[in-house]
Amino acid sequence: MTQLTHLDDKGAARMVDVGGKQPTARAAIASGRIRMSQVALVAIRDGSGPKGDVLAAARIAGIMAAKQTGSLIPLCHPLALDAVTVDFTFEDDGLRVTARASLTGKTGVEMEAMTATSIALLTIYDMAKAIDKGMVIDAIRLIEKTGGKSGTWRAE
Amino acid sequence: MTQLTHLDDKGAARMVDVGGKQPTARAAIASGRIRMSQVALVAIRDGSGPKGDVLAAARIAGIMAAKQTGSLIPLCHPLALDAVTVDFTFEDDGLRVTARASLTGKTGVEMEAMTATSIALLTIYDMAKAIDKGMVIDAIRLIEKTGGKSGTWRAE
Amino acid sequence: MTQLTHLDDKGAARMVDVGGKQPTARAAIASGRIRMSQVALVAIRDGSGPKGDVLAAARIAGIMAAKQTGSLIPLCHPLALDAVTVDFTFEDDGLRVTARASLTGKTGVEMEAMTATSIALLTIYDMAKAIDKGMVIDAIRLIEKTGGKSGTWRAE
Amino acid sequence: MTQLTHLDDKGAARMVDVGGKQPTARAAIASGRIRMSQVALVAIRDGSGPKGDVLAAARIAGIMAAKQTGSLIPLCHPLALDAVTVDFTFEDDGLRVTARASLTGKTGVEMEAMTATSIALLTIYDMAKAIDKGMVIDAIRLIEKTGGKSGTWRAE
Amino acid sequence: MTQLTHLDDKGAARMVDVGGKQPTARAAIASGRIRMSQVALVAIRDGSGPKGDVLAAARIAGIMAAKQTGSLIPLCHPLALDAVTVDFTFEDDGLRVTARASLTGKTGVEMEAMTATSIALLTIYDMAKAIDKGMVIDAIRLIEKTGGKSGTWRAE
Amino acid sequence: MTQLTHLDDKGAARMVDVGGKQPTARAAIASGRIRMSQVALVAIRDGSGPKGDVLAAARIAGIMAAKQTGSLIPLCHPLALDAVTVDFTFEDDGLRVTARASLTGKTGVEMEAMTATSIALLTIYDMAKAIDKGMVIDAIRLIEKTGGKSGTWRAE
């Protein structure tokens, strides 16, 4: 029978016990997009050139949020991350954010990569919302995870 | 010329100065979706019945995250929220999260509603990812904002 | 019918909406006790004299926790506290902690006083637990609240 | 001579140095109670049935607080918890909260279990205080600790 | 007799009670310097050009820290800041950071400006310490405060 | 060519990847000073005697800040500290703060010692600023680091 690992046999929420697991090298990559008007897109691109801080702010916000994942997501373990990166790609109708987290530990870092992606996207929304309130964040998903007992997983 | 309000005239990031604004009643509604396999959807529905805590956990996470918005999004003001609600609707292929935030203050609560939505969705992802790692979060957007100088805005 | 204010009519948790309330002066006093062995009690008393930091650490922890109440208790509003004090009284078999919080705002500060009391007591436990693991924290209660629409309340 | 481990030989507060210790499996169980009127108790029980979130909110608050112990209690080490659970038992005149924390590490998790217990109790107080401000939190204590150099300890 | 406002008449730490004060417009400017080798200075300057994030990261860190002042400095009030800016000036032997904070409130924002300055400087140290561990942070001081009952103050 | 380790080859900020490093015993000592008027210095000294909490508050603030370093400094790793101490020395025209941090881990604790020092100094400023707003914080620097691949470093 299918069972949610974060519920005990009475349905109560719990942190999954990772006490018996061995630390191994693990990594996860997540990505997501924010779609926006051309006016907003141009403003962000201009605000990210030599003098601008837009993407720099979103990157820092994403990296800092990855480190707060255990405080934000109720049943996540607090993790000693080895590394976090957040990158941006301009697309025709918006921006793509890709985040990668890694650690040597007993549980995976999928949520850290997903959280970094989400907060970086929200930061972009915040900085451009005076121009375009209709921006839409979508396609936040796990792209790949490696390491751990279940091994490598890749989005189809 | 279009300008990002969060950048000064040299392109440096800053908090927008709300010092001259008068406090008024403001509210914002945001929503987003998480699409998943039927197996995961059934597990969450079962885990949200009499004995289950899944949506309760996601709701609490969203409400608590709304209160942390000023710590997560670099240029957001810390706000004294009057109220936050987070609601869930089951759809054919997933779940919809709708969050509403309100305050009497000098700046809007769009980011609080967007952040509550995002973290509630991430919490659902976290609790169901052992069943379905391919879940996709999308359509996070502002639905409506009211109050403030710019008045009411609604997504088309 | 009796209803919990923190649940909506479907039973879902929510922050109580204080948007329609007027800011007024409010205060709350809470207290609690920690009972311990004479050995532990003497050590704390000695560690609180000219050279010792025990009660100073517990006081600071309680004051800082009062400011974090909105982050710790899921449905509490983030509040702009006017003042917090934490005081200690030695008793025959332990210590009493009394905390007072106040603000000019739209909702009461009972939880801030209760949280300051609890964390100050836990800090004392932490600092003396190497001597006496059997210490018991009890009698944490609201002593008095003043201000707001419901006016003054005192514990019997 | 008895000495508090959290004070140095001049009486100054410090974190106990755990640098020379080996990581071992450790666990701690704590519990506490909240006594209340029958009206409040019935409301919580009703608010914890199929549609209600009361105990779910308290459980999440307790688990999340356990992860914040190192930020709340001044001299506690930040710990990479393996697991945390928070459970509730209805009693004639109130509720009992029992929390268990575990990790593989260099110092014990007593404070994490005590903190989870305290914050879960405060959350219940918060959610029912509109009905009964006279509720009393008591009997917060360590029930058992296992692991580490000092081995197993159980409350008498 | 001179008395520290953060101590009561028994010498115990407390938050100063601002309950009787009226909210007024207040601002504070602080600055500080970090001195470093030419090699480090050139690397930061290069890392702050079109492709670089050094000063952007320090600016974001300073702004976010200003919002955390009430959590970091034990007796500071949590404040609803209207605005924070952090600016940088290259000097011959290092960098100068200047931070400005403002609010409409019952207490001043000197500590917010001082904290933003300090954390921005520490972030620069962190990012350049692989090149030069001997960097020295100095001259952190309040430059000016305006507003409030005591009015304008300027450093000589 | 000199390169900042916290920037990738495109100049984007990142956390340095410590995944391939082995945990070793590491420690760091930092110090800093606050210069003030004799009136302020006497008040602090008096406020730090048998009844006073000034230095106790600053010490606790510094220790707690060391544990928050990974949340404050954007590219710092979250670290499981083994120990932190903060000490004070009265000088003719002010106070010196010295902080020591240590852990067994994959990266150094220089920033933890520097952050503890800075926040302890800011806390002293906060508590004495009603007497002397012209206090100056300076000479914050790393004194010594030990452990890790690069071995021991001492300030000249």
Side-chain angles (χ1 to χ4, degrees):
Chain A
M1 186 194 143
T2 302
Q3 193 167 350
L4 297 174
T5 51
H6 282 298
L7 299 185
D8 67 15
D9 52 17
K10 290 176 194 157
R14 61 171 179 182
M15 288 172 67
V16 175
D17 192 342
V18 299
K21 293 190 177 182
Q22 290 304 312
T24 59
R26 295 158 186 271
I29 300 171
S31 80
R33 285 172 10 102
I34 181 164
R35 287 184 285 120
M36 62 184 68
S37 65
Q38 288 301 311
V39 177
L41 192 58
V42 167
I44 288 177
R45 201 188 310 252
D46 288 354
S48 303
K51 299 182 308 178
D53 278 356
V54 178
L55 297 191
R59 179 180 285 117
I60 295 297
I63 291 173
M64 293 180 85
K67 295 188 277 185
Q68 295 301 317
T69 303
S71 304
L72 292 169
I73 310 297
L75 304 174
C76 275
H77 294 81
L79 297 183
L81 294 170
D82 281 341
V84 182
T85 57
V86 177
D87 291 306
F88 302 93
T89 315
F90 280 94
E91 302 188 342
D92 283 351
D93 62 345
L95 274 157
R96 176 174 294 280
V97 172
T98 304
R100 183 181 188 279
S102 58
L103 93 166
T104 310
K106 294 191 278 190
T107 186
V109 286
E110 294 94 314
M111 292 315 300
E112 281 68 18
M114 295 284 284
T115 300
T117 298
S118 297
I119 299 297
L121 288 163
L122 288 170
T123 300
I124 294 172
Y125 184 94
D126 181 45
M127 295 183 80
K129 72 179 190 296
I131 299 177
D132 180 5
K133 284 184 181 52
M135 290 176 289
V136 178
I137 292 172
D138 61 13
I140 300 176
R141 64 191 306 173
L142 186 65
I143 299 298
E144 181 185 295
K145 72 169 278 292
T146 56
K149 201 174 66 177
S150 66
T152 298
W153 179 94
R154 279 196 187 86
E156 298 170 13
Chain B
M1 185 196 143
T2 302
Q3 193 168 352
L4 296 174
T5 51
H6 282 299
L7 300 186
D8 66 16
D9 53 16
K10 290 179 197 156
R14 60 170 182 186
M15 288 172 68
V16 176
D17 192 341
V18 299
K21 294 191 176 183
Q22 290 304 311
T24 60
R26 296 160 186 269
I29 300 172
S31 79
R33 287 172 8 103
I34 181 167
R35 288 184 284 120
M36 62 185 69
S37 66
Q38 288 302 310
V39 176
L41 192 58
V42 167
I44 288 176
R45 201 188 312 254
D46 289 353
S48 301
K51 300 180 308 178
D53 278 354
V54 178
L55 297 192
R59 179 180 286 115
I60 295 298
I63 292 172
M64 294 180 84
K67 296 188 278 186
Q68 295 303 317
T69 303
S71 305
L72 291 169
I73 310 296
L75 305 173
C76 274
H77 294 81
L79 298 181
L81 294 169
D82 280 343
V84 182
T85 57
V86 176
D87 291 307
F88 302 93
T89 315
F90 280 94
E91 302 188 341
D92 283 352
D93 63 344
L95 274 157
R96 176 173 295 278
V97 172
T98 305
R100 184 182 187 279
S102 58
L103 93 167
T104 310
K106 294 191 278 191
T107 185
V109 287
E110 295 94 316
M111 292 315 300
E112 281 68 19
M114 294 283 284
T115 301
T117 299
S118 297
I119 299 296
L121 288 164
L122 288 171
T123 301
I124 294 172
Y125 185 93
D126 181 43
M127 295 183 80
K129 72 178 190 295
I131 299 176
D132 180 4
K133 284 184 182 51
M135 291 177 287
V136 177
I137 292 173
D138 61 15
I140 301 178
R141 63 192 307 174
L142 187 65
I143 299 298
E144 180 184 294
K145 72 168 280 291
T146 57
K149 202 174 64 176
S150 66
T152 298
W153 178 94
R154 280 197 185 84
E156 297 170 13
Chain C
M1 185 195 145
T2 302
Q3 194 169 349
L4 297 174
T5 51
H6 282 297
L7 298 186
D8 66 17
D9 52 17
K10 291 179 193 155
R14 60 170 181 185
M15 288 172 67
V16 175
D17 192 343
V18 299
K21 294 190 176 182
Q22 290 304 311
T24 60
R26 296 159 186 270
I29 300 170
S31 80
R33 288 174 4 105
I34 181 166
R35 288 183 286 120
M36 62 185 68
S37 65
Q38 289 301 311
V39 176
L41 192 57
V42 167
I44 289 176
R45 201 189 310 254
D46 289 352
S48 303
K51 298 181 309 177
D53 279 355
V54 177
L55 297 191
R59 179 181 286 117
I60 295 295
I63 291 173
M64 293 180 86
K67 297 188 277 185
Q68 295 302 317
T69 303
S71 304
L72 291 169
I73 311 297
L75 304 174
C76 274
H77 293 81
L79 298 181
L81 294 168
D82 281 342
V84 181
T85 56
V86 176
D87 291 307
F88 301 93
T89 316
F90 280 93
E91 302 189 340
D92 283 352
D93 62 345
L95 274 156
R96 175 173 296 278
V97 173
T98 305
R100 184 182 187 279
S102 58
L103 94 167
T104 311
K106 294 190 278 191
T107 186
V109 287
E110 295 95 314
M111 293 314 300
E112 281 68 18
M114 294 283 284
T115 300
T117 299
S118 297
I119 298 297
L121 287 164
L122 288 171
T123 300
I124 295 172
Y125 184 94
D126 181 44
M127 294 184 81
K129 73 179 190 295
I131 298 176
D132 179 4
K133 285 183 181 52
M135 291 177 287
V136 177
I137 293 172
D138 61 14
I140 300 176
R141 64 191 307 174
L142 187 65
I143 300 298
E144 181 184 294
K145 72 170 279 292
T146 57
K149 200 174 69 175
S150 67
T152 297
W153 178 93
R154 279 197 187 83
E156 296 169 16
Chain D
M1 185 195 146
T2 301
Q3 192 167 352
L4 297 175
T5 51
H6 283 298
L7 299 185
D8 67 16
D9 52 16
K10 291 177 195 157
R14 60 169 180 185
M15 289 172 67
V16 176
D17 191 342
V18 300
K21 292 191 179 184
Q22 290 305 311
T24 60
R26 295 160 186 270
I29 299 172
S31 80
R33 285 169 12 101
I34 180 166
R35 288 183 286 119
M36 61 184 68
S37 66
Q38 288 301 310
V39 177
L41 191 58
V42 168
I44 288 176
R45 199 187 312 252
D46 289 353
S48 303
K51 298 182 309 177
D53 279 356
V54 177
L55 298 191
R59 180 180 286 117
I60 295 297
I63 292 173
M64 292 180 85
K67 295 188 277 186
Q68 296 301 318
T69 303
S71 305
L72 292 168
I73 310 298
L75 304 175
C76 274
H77 294 81
L79 298 182
L81 293 169
D82 281 342
V84 181
T85 57
V86 176
D87 291 305
F88 302 93
T89 314
F90 281 94
E91 302 188 340
D92 284 352
D93 62 345
L95 274 157
R96 175 173 295 278
V97 172
T98 306
R100 183 181 188 279
S102 58
L103 93 166
T104 311
K106 294 191 277 191
T107 185
V109 286
E110 294 95 313
M111 292 315 299
E112 281 69 17
M114 295 283 284
T115 301
T117 298
S118 297
I119 299 296
L121 288 163
L122 288 170
T123 300
I124 294 172
Y125 184 94
D126 180 45
M127 294 183 81
K129 74 180 189 296
I131 298 176
D132 179 5
K133 283 184 183 52
M135 290 176 288
V136 177
I137 292 172
D138 61 14
I140 299 176
R141 64 192 307 175
L142 187 66
I143 300 297
E144 181 184 294
K145 71 169 280 291
T146 56
K149 201 175 68 176
S150 67
T152 298
W153 179 93
R154 281 197 185 84
E156 296 170 14
Chain E
M1 184 196 143
T2 302
Q3 192 165 355
L4 296 174
T5 51
H6 282 299
L7 298 186
D8 67 16
D9 54 16
K10 290 178 195 157
R14 61 171 180 184
M15 288 171 67
V16 176
D17 192 343
V18 300
K21 293 191 177 182
Q22 290 305 311
T24 60
R26 296 160 186 269
I29 299 171
S31 78
R33 287 172 7 104
I34 181 165
R35 288 185 284 120
M36 61 184 70
S37 66
Q38 289 301 312
V39 177
L41 191 58
V42 167
I44 289 177
R45 200 188 310 253
D46 289 352
S48 301
K51 299 180 308 176
D53 279 355
V54 177
L55 297 191
R59 179 181 286 117
I60 295 296
I63 291 173
M64 294 180 84
K67 296 189 277 186
Q68 295 302 317
T69 304
S71 304
L72 291 169
I73 310 298
L75 304 173
C76 274
H77 293 81
L79 298 182
L81 294 170
D82 281 342
V84 182
T85 56
V86 176
D87 291 306
F88 302 93
T89 314
F90 280 94
E91 303 188 340
D92 283 352
D93 63 345
L95 274 156
R96 176 173 296 277
V97 173
T98 305
R100 184 183 187 276
S102 58
L103 94 167
T104 310
K106 295 191 277 192
T107 187
V109 286
E110 294 94 314
M111 292 315 300
E112 281 69 18
M114 295 284 283
T115 301
T117 299
S118 298
I119 299 296
L121 288 164
L122 288 170
T123 300
I124 294 171
Y125 184 94
D126 181 43
M127 294 182 81
K129 72 179 191 294
I131 299 176
D132 180 5
K133 284 184 181 52
M135 292 176 287
V136 177
I137 293 172
D138 60 15
I140 300 177
R141 63 191 307 175
L142 187 64
I143 300 297
E144 179 185 294
K145 73 169 278 291
T146 58
K149 201 174 66 176
S150 67
T152 297
W153 178 94
R154 278 196 187 86
E156 297 167 16
Chain F
M1 185 195 145
T2 301
Q3 191 167 353
L4 297 173
T5 51
H6 282 298
L7 299 185
D8 67 16
D9 51 18
K10 292 178 194 156
R14 60 171 180 183
M15 289 171 67
V16 176
D17 191 343
V18 300
K21 293 191 178 183
Q22 291 304 311
T24 60
R26 295 160 185 270
I29 299 171
S31 80
R33 287 173 7 105
I34 182 166
R35 287 183 285 120
M36 62 184 70
S37 65
Q38 289 301 311
V39 178
L41 191 59
V42 167
I44 289 176
R45 200 189 311 253
D46 288 353
S48 302
K51 298 181 308 175
D53 278 355
V54 178
L55 297 191
R59 179 181 285 117
I60 294 296
I63 292 173
M64 293 180 84
K67 296 188 278 184
Q68 296 301 317
T69 303
S71 304
L72 292 168
I73 310 298
L75 304 174
C76 274
H77 294 82
L79 298 183
L81 294 170
D82 280 342
V84 182
T85 56
V86 176
D87 290 307
F88 302 93
T89 315
F90 280 94
E91 303 188 340
D92 284 352
D93 62 347
L95 273 157
R96 176 173 295 279
V97 172
T98 305
R100 184 182 187 279
S102 57
L103 93 165
T104 311
K106 295 190 277 191
T107 186
V109 287
E110 294 95 314
M111 293 314 301
E112 282 67 19
M114 295 282 284
T115 301
T117 299
S118 297
I119 299 296
L121 288 164
L122 288 170
T123 300
I124 294 171
Y125 184 94
D126 181 44
M127 295 183 80
K129 74 179 189 295
I131 299 176
D132 179 4
K133 284 184 181 50
M135 291 176 286
V136 178
I137 293 173
D138 61 15
I140 300 177
R141 64 192 306 174
L142 187 65
I143 299 298
E144 180 184 296
K145 72 171 278 293
T146 56
K149 201 173 65 175
S150 65
T152 298
W153 178 94
R154 279 197 186 85
E156 297 169 14

